[in-house]
Short mmCIF file of all heavy atoms in Angstrom, two decimals:
data_model
loop_
_atom_site.label_atom_id
_atom_site.label_comp_id
_atom_site.label_asym_id
_atom_site.label_seq_id
_atom_site.Cartn_x
_atom_site.Cartn_y
_atom_site.Cartn_z
N ALA P 141 109.99 27.27 142.65
CA ALA P 141 109.52 26.37 143.71
C ALA P 141 108.28 25.60 143.28
O ALA P 141 108.14 24.40 143.55
CB ALA P 141 109.25 27.17 144.98
N MET P 142 107.36 26.29 142.62
CA MET P 142 106.15 25.62 142.14
C MET P 142 106.49 24.53 141.15
O MET P 142 105.89 23.43 141.19
CB MET P 142 105.21 26.65 141.50
CG MET P 142 104.55 27.60 142.47
SD MET P 142 103.60 28.88 141.60
CE MET P 142 102.46 27.86 140.63
N TRP P 143 107.45 24.77 140.26
CA TRP P 143 107.80 23.77 139.25
C TRP P 143 108.55 22.58 139.86
O TRP P 143 108.43 21.47 139.39
CB TRP P 143 108.58 24.43 138.12
CG TRP P 143 107.74 24.58 136.88
CD1 TRP P 143 107.96 24.03 135.66
CD2 TRP P 143 106.50 25.31 136.76
NE1 TRP P 143 106.96 24.36 134.78
CE2 TRP P 143 106.05 25.14 135.43
CE3 TRP P 143 105.73 26.06 137.63
CZ2 TRP P 143 104.86 25.71 134.96
CZ3 TRP P 143 104.55 26.65 137.16
CH2 TRP P 143 104.13 26.46 135.86
N GLN P 144 109.31 22.82 140.92
CA GLN P 144 109.92 21.70 141.64
C GLN P 144 108.85 20.80 142.23
O GLN P 144 108.95 19.57 142.19
CB GLN P 144 110.85 22.21 142.74
CG GLN P 144 111.97 23.12 142.28
CD GLN P 144 112.86 22.49 141.23
OE1 GLN P 144 113.27 21.34 141.35
NE2 GLN P 144 113.16 23.24 140.18
N TRP P 145 107.83 21.41 142.80
CA TRP P 145 106.73 20.63 143.38
C TRP P 145 106.01 19.83 142.31
O TRP P 145 105.69 18.66 142.49
CB TRP P 145 105.75 21.55 144.10
CG TRP P 145 104.54 20.82 144.62
CD1 TRP P 145 103.28 20.86 144.10
CD2 TRP P 145 104.49 19.92 145.73
NE1 TRP P 145 102.44 20.05 144.81
CE2 TRP P 145 103.16 19.46 145.83
CE3 TRP P 145 105.43 19.47 146.64
CZ2 TRP P 145 102.75 18.57 146.81
CZ3 TRP P 145 105.03 18.58 147.63
CH2 TRP P 145 103.71 18.14 147.70
N ARG P 146 105.72 20.47 141.18
CA ARG P 146 105.06 19.77 140.08
C ARG P 146 105.87 18.55 139.64
O ARG P 146 105.31 17.48 139.40
CB ARG P 146 104.89 20.73 138.88
CG ARG P 146 103.72 21.68 138.97
CD ARG P 146 103.78 22.70 137.83
NE ARG P 146 104.08 22.04 136.56
CZ ARG P 146 103.15 21.55 135.73
NH1 ARG P 146 101.86 21.66 136.05
NH2 ARG P 146 103.50 20.98 134.60
N MET P 147 107.19 18.71 139.56
CA MET P 147 108.01 17.60 139.12
C MET P 147 107.98 16.45 140.14
O MET P 147 107.91 15.28 139.76
CB MET P 147 109.44 18.05 138.89
CG MET P 147 110.35 16.96 138.34
SD MET P 147 109.82 16.35 136.70
CE MET P 147 110.46 17.66 135.66
N LEU P 148 108.01 16.78 141.41
CA LEU P 148 107.91 15.74 142.44
C LEU P 148 106.59 14.98 142.31
O LEU P 148 106.54 13.75 142.46
CB LEU P 148 108.03 16.36 143.83
CG LEU P 148 109.42 16.86 144.24
CD1 LEU P 148 109.33 17.59 145.58
CD2 LEU P 148 110.40 15.70 144.33
N GLN P 149 105.53 15.71 142.06
CA GLN P 149 104.21 15.08 141.90
C GLN P 149 104.17 14.20 140.65
O GLN P 149 103.60 13.09 140.67
CB GLN P 149 103.13 16.16 141.82
CG GLN P 149 102.90 16.94 143.10
CD GLN P 149 102.11 16.12 144.10
OE1 GLN P 149 102.61 15.15 144.69
NE2 GLN P 149 100.86 16.51 144.30
N LEU P 150 104.74 14.68 139.56
CA LEU P 150 104.77 13.88 138.34
C LEU P 150 105.54 12.57 138.54
O LEU P 150 105.11 11.50 138.10
CB LEU P 150 105.40 14.68 137.19
CG LEU P 150 104.54 15.80 136.59
CD1 LEU P 150 105.38 16.70 135.70
CD2 LEU P 150 103.38 15.20 135.79
N LYS P 151 106.68 12.65 139.21
CA LYS P 151 107.48 11.45 139.47
C LYS P 151 106.73 10.49 140.38
O LYS P 151 106.83 9.27 140.22
CB LYS P 151 108.81 11.84 140.09
CG LYS P 151 109.75 12.58 139.14
CD LYS P 151 111.02 13.02 139.82
CE LYS P 151 111.87 11.82 140.21
NZ LYS P 151 113.17 12.24 140.80
N ARG P 152 105.96 11.01 141.32
CA ARG P 152 105.18 10.15 142.21
C ARG P 152 104.05 9.44 141.47
O ARG P 152 103.78 8.25 141.71
CB ARG P 152 104.60 11.00 143.35
CG ARG P 152 103.71 10.23 144.33
CD ARG P 152 103.17 11.13 145.40
NE ARG P 152 102.28 12.15 144.89
CZ ARG P 152 100.98 11.96 144.68
NH1 ARG P 152 100.43 10.76 144.91
NH2 ARG P 152 100.22 12.94 144.23
N LEU P 153 103.40 10.16 140.57
CA LEU P 153 102.24 9.61 139.87
C LEU P 153 102.60 8.71 138.69
O LEU P 153 101.84 7.80 138.35
CB LEU P 153 101.35 10.75 139.36
CG LEU P 153 100.63 11.59 140.41
CD1 LEU P 153 99.99 12.80 139.76
CD2 LEU P 153 99.58 10.75 141.13
N ALA P 154 103.74 8.97 138.07
CA ALA P 154 104.08 8.30 136.81
C ALA P 154 103.97 6.77 136.87
O ALA P 154 103.47 6.16 135.91
CB ALA P 154 105.48 8.71 136.36
N PRO P 155 104.40 6.08 137.94
CA PRO P 155 104.28 4.61 137.94
C PRO P 155 102.85 4.11 137.87
O PRO P 155 102.63 2.93 137.57
CB PRO P 155 104.95 4.23 139.27
CG PRO P 155 105.88 5.35 139.58
CD PRO P 155 105.17 6.58 139.10
N THR P 156 101.86 4.97 138.14
CA THR P 156 100.46 4.54 138.07
C THR P 156 99.87 4.68 136.68
O THR P 156 98.75 4.24 136.45
CB THR P 156 99.60 5.35 139.06
OG1 THR P 156 99.44 6.69 138.58
CG2 THR P 156 100.23 5.38 140.44
N TRP P 157 100.61 5.32 135.76
CA TRP P 157 100.09 5.53 134.42
C TRP P 157 100.36 4.30 133.56
O TRP P 157 101.50 3.90 133.37
CB TRP P 157 100.74 6.75 133.77
CG TRP P 157 100.49 8.02 134.52
CD1 TRP P 157 99.45 8.30 135.35
CD2 TRP P 157 101.31 9.19 134.51
NE1 TRP P 157 99.57 9.56 135.87
CE2 TRP P 157 100.70 10.14 135.36
CE3 TRP P 157 102.50 9.53 133.86
CZ2 TRP P 157 101.24 11.40 135.59
CZ3 TRP P 157 103.04 10.79 134.08
CH2 TRP P 157 102.41 11.71 134.92
N ARG P 158 99.31 3.67 133.06
CA ARG P 158 99.43 2.46 132.24
C ARG P 158 98.56 2.60 131.00
O ARG P 158 97.66 3.42 130.94
CB ARG P 158 98.99 1.22 133.03
CG ARG P 158 99.88 0.94 134.25
CD ARG P 158 101.26 0.48 133.82
NE ARG P 158 102.10 0.16 134.96
CZ ARG P 158 102.94 1.01 135.53
NH1 ARG P 158 103.01 2.26 135.09
NH2 ARG P 158 103.68 0.65 136.56
N PHE P 159 98.82 1.76 129.99
CA PHE P 159 98.00 1.76 128.81
C PHE P 159 97.87 0.33 128.29
O PHE P 159 98.67 -0.53 128.60
CB PHE P 159 98.57 2.66 127.70
CG PHE P 159 99.94 2.22 127.23
CD1 PHE P 159 100.09 1.36 126.16
CD2 PHE P 159 101.07 2.68 127.88
CE1 PHE P 159 101.35 0.97 125.74
CE2 PHE P 159 102.33 2.29 127.46
CZ PHE P 159 102.47 1.43 126.39
N ASP P 160 96.80 0.10 127.49
CA ASP P 160 96.56 -1.19 126.87
C ASP P 160 97.00 -1.13 125.42
O ASP P 160 96.36 -0.48 124.60
CB ASP P 160 95.08 -1.58 126.94
CG ASP P 160 94.62 -1.85 128.36
OD1 ASP P 160 95.46 -2.29 129.16
OD2 ASP P 160 93.45 -1.59 128.67
N VAL P 161 98.09 -1.79 125.08
CA VAL P 161 98.59 -1.78 123.71
C VAL P 161 97.55 -2.42 122.80
O VAL P 161 97.02 -3.48 123.08
CB VAL P 161 99.92 -2.54 123.62
CG1 VAL P 161 100.39 -2.57 122.17
CG2 VAL P 161 100.97 -1.85 124.49
N GLY P 162 97.28 -1.76 121.67
CA GLY P 162 96.38 -2.33 120.68
C GLY P 162 94.94 -1.89 120.81
O GLY P 162 94.15 -2.10 119.90
N ILE P 163 94.56 -1.30 121.96
CA ILE P 163 93.20 -0.80 122.09
C ILE P 163 93.03 0.40 121.17
O ILE P 163 93.85 1.30 121.14
CB ILE P 163 92.89 -0.37 123.54
CG1 ILE P 163 92.98 -1.57 124.49
CG2 ILE P 163 91.53 0.29 123.63
CD1 ILE P 163 91.81 -2.50 124.40
N ASP P 164 91.93 0.43 120.43
CA ASP P 164 91.74 1.51 119.48
C ASP P 164 91.25 2.75 120.23
O ASP P 164 90.12 2.81 120.65
CB ASP P 164 90.70 1.11 118.42
CG ASP P 164 90.49 2.22 117.40
OD1 ASP P 164 91.31 3.16 117.36
OD2 ASP P 164 89.50 2.14 116.65
N ALA P 165 92.14 3.72 120.38
CA ALA P 165 91.77 5.00 120.98
C ALA P 165 92.21 6.12 120.06
O ALA P 165 92.69 7.14 120.51
CB ALA P 165 92.40 5.14 122.36
N ALA P 166 92.06 5.90 118.77
CA ALA P 166 92.54 6.87 117.79
C ALA P 166 91.96 8.24 118.06
O ALA P 166 90.79 8.40 118.33
CB ALA P 166 92.14 6.40 116.39
N GLY P 167 92.84 9.22 117.99
CA GLY P 167 92.39 10.59 118.15
C GLY P 167 92.61 11.17 119.52
O GLY P 167 92.38 12.35 119.73
N PHE P 168 93.04 10.36 120.51
CA PHE P 168 93.14 10.93 121.84
C PHE P 168 94.18 12.02 121.92
O PHE P 168 94.11 12.90 122.76
CB PHE P 168 93.38 9.86 122.91
CG PHE P 168 94.83 9.44 123.10
CD1 PHE P 168 95.73 10.26 123.76
CD2 PHE P 168 95.28 8.22 122.63
CE1 PHE P 168 97.04 9.86 123.95
CE2 PHE P 168 96.60 7.83 122.83
CZ PHE P 168 97.47 8.65 123.48
N ALA P 169 95.18 11.99 121.03
CA ALA P 169 96.22 13.01 121.07
C ALA P 169 95.72 14.36 120.59
O ALA P 169 96.32 15.38 120.86
CB ALA P 169 97.42 12.58 120.22
N GLY P 170 94.59 14.38 119.88
CA GLY P 170 94.05 15.63 119.40
C GLY P 170 94.77 16.11 118.15
O GLY P 170 95.80 15.59 117.76
N PRO P 171 94.23 17.15 117.51
CA PRO P 171 94.86 17.70 116.31
C PRO P 171 96.25 18.23 116.63
O PRO P 171 96.49 18.72 117.71
CB PRO P 171 93.91 18.84 115.92
CG PRO P 171 92.62 18.55 116.61
CD PRO P 171 92.99 17.83 117.86
N THR P 172 97.14 18.12 115.66
CA THR P 172 98.49 18.64 115.87
C THR P 172 98.54 20.09 115.47
O THR P 172 97.71 20.58 114.72
CB THR P 172 99.51 17.85 115.02
OG1 THR P 172 99.17 18.01 113.65
CG2 THR P 172 99.49 16.39 115.40
N ASP P 173 99.54 20.76 115.99
CA ASP P 173 99.71 22.18 115.67
C ASP P 173 101.20 22.45 115.58
O ASP P 173 101.92 22.28 116.55
CB ASP P 173 99.09 23.04 116.77
CG ASP P 173 99.04 24.50 116.38
OD1 ASP P 173 99.98 24.97 115.71
OD2 ASP P 173 98.06 25.18 116.73
N GLY P 174 101.67 22.89 114.43
CA GLY P 174 103.09 23.11 114.24
C GLY P 174 103.66 24.15 115.19
O GLY P 174 104.84 24.12 115.51
N ASP P 175 102.82 25.08 115.67
CA ASP P 175 103.32 26.11 116.56
C ASP P 175 103.75 25.55 117.91
O ASP P 175 104.42 26.22 118.68
CB ASP P 175 102.24 27.18 116.79
CG ASP P 175 102.02 28.01 115.53
OD1 ASP P 175 102.91 28.03 114.67
OD2 ASP P 175 100.94 28.61 115.43
N ALA P 176 103.34 24.34 118.24
CA ALA P 176 103.70 23.78 119.53
C ALA P 176 105.10 23.18 119.51
O ALA P 176 105.63 22.79 120.53
CB ALA P 176 102.69 22.70 119.93
#
Side-chain angles (χ1 to χ4, degrees):
M142 289 174 57
W143 254 241
Q144 302 303 314
W145 175 255
R146 280 172 45 89
M147 184 62 79
L148 288 174
Q149 292 284 72
L150 286 167
K151 291 177 67 176
R152 177 181 64 86
L153 292 171
T156 72
W157 299 335
R158 297 291 183 266
F159 61 92
D160 292 330
V161 177
I163 297 285
D164 181 14
F168 84 75
T172 61
D173 190 324
D175 290 339

